[in-house]
Amino acid sequence: MDENAEEYEEEYEDARRARWTATGTGALLALVGLAASTLRLTGSAPVLVPGAYAFGAAVCGLASVLGARGRTRRALWLLVIGVMVMALGDQFD
């Protein structure tokens, strides 16, 4: 009985760590994307570039919300998509 309790405790800690990681990473990437969008908007970059950063930041923000709710696998995919959108927008500069 004690082995099962320890096993469940480890799984619970792993899930909690994954939720915190997805939430923190999503929030950080959303803030960075918004900052980059603001900086690019004030410069001479085409409108597509700050728009891509802002959209990528919104996707990362959604990933942060999903990560906080325990949907870490979906959050990971959204983080990847959000960063890819920001990188693609940077290519248009």
Side-chain angles (χ1 to χ4, degrees):
M1 186 89 165
D2 290 331
E3 290 178 15
N4 289 338
E6 289 177 12
E7 182 179 326
Y8 289 131
E9 184 69 28
E10 286 180 21
E11 289 178 7
Y12 177 75
E13 288 297 320
D14 288 344
R16 190 174 70 131
R17 190 175 312 120
R19 283 193 306 270
W20 276 103
T21 302
T23 303
T25 304
L28 180 67
L29 286 172
L31 288 174
V32 168
L34 286 176
S37 175
T38 304
L39 288 174
R40 295 294 184 149
L41 191 60
T42 60
S44 63
V47 176
L48 185 61
V49 176
Y53 277 112
F55 182 71
V59 171
C60 289
L62 178 63
S64 178
V65 170
L66 287 177
R69 293 184 178 194
R71 304 289 186 196
T72 55
R73 191 172 298 153
R74 289 184 182 114
L76 174 64
W77 282 108
L78 284 177
L79 288 173
V80 169
I81 291 169
V83 170
M84 286 176 60
V85 166
M86 287 189 252
L88 181 66
D90 196 39
Q91 293 299 315
F92 291 117
D93 189 19

